[in-house]
Short mmCIF file of all heavy atoms in Angstrom, two decimals:
data_model
loop_
_atom_site.label_atom_id
_atom_site.label_comp_id
_atom_site.label_asym_id
_atom_site.label_seq_id
_atom_site.Cartn_x
_atom_site.Cartn_y
_atom_site.Cartn_z
N ILE A 943 -84.27 -32.26 151.08
CA ILE A 943 -84.59 -33.18 149.97
C ILE A 943 -83.28 -33.76 149.42
O ILE A 943 -82.30 -33.00 149.21
CB ILE A 943 -85.35 -32.40 148.86
CG1 ILE A 943 -86.75 -32.08 149.36
CG2 ILE A 943 -85.38 -33.20 147.55
CD1 ILE A 943 -87.48 -31.05 148.57
N LYS A 1041 -102.45 -33.32 147.05
CA LYS A 1041 -101.08 -33.46 147.49
C LYS A 1041 -100.18 -33.44 146.26
O LYS A 1041 -100.63 -33.91 145.20
CB LYS A 1041 -100.91 -34.82 148.16
CG LYS A 1041 -100.58 -34.80 149.66
CD LYS A 1041 -100.61 -36.23 150.15
CE LYS A 1041 -99.20 -36.61 150.61
NZ LYS A 1041 -99.09 -37.93 151.17
N ILE A 1285 -114.97 -15.65 115.18
CA ILE A 1285 -113.60 -15.27 115.57
C ILE A 1285 -112.58 -16.06 114.73
O ILE A 1285 -111.63 -15.48 114.20
CB ILE A 1285 -113.38 -15.51 117.07
CG1 ILE A 1285 -114.22 -14.52 117.88
CG2 ILE A 1285 -111.88 -15.40 117.45
CD1 ILE A 1285 -114.33 -14.82 119.36
#
Side-chain angles (χ1 to χ4, degrees):
I943 290 165
K1041 245 174 116 178
I1285 291 167

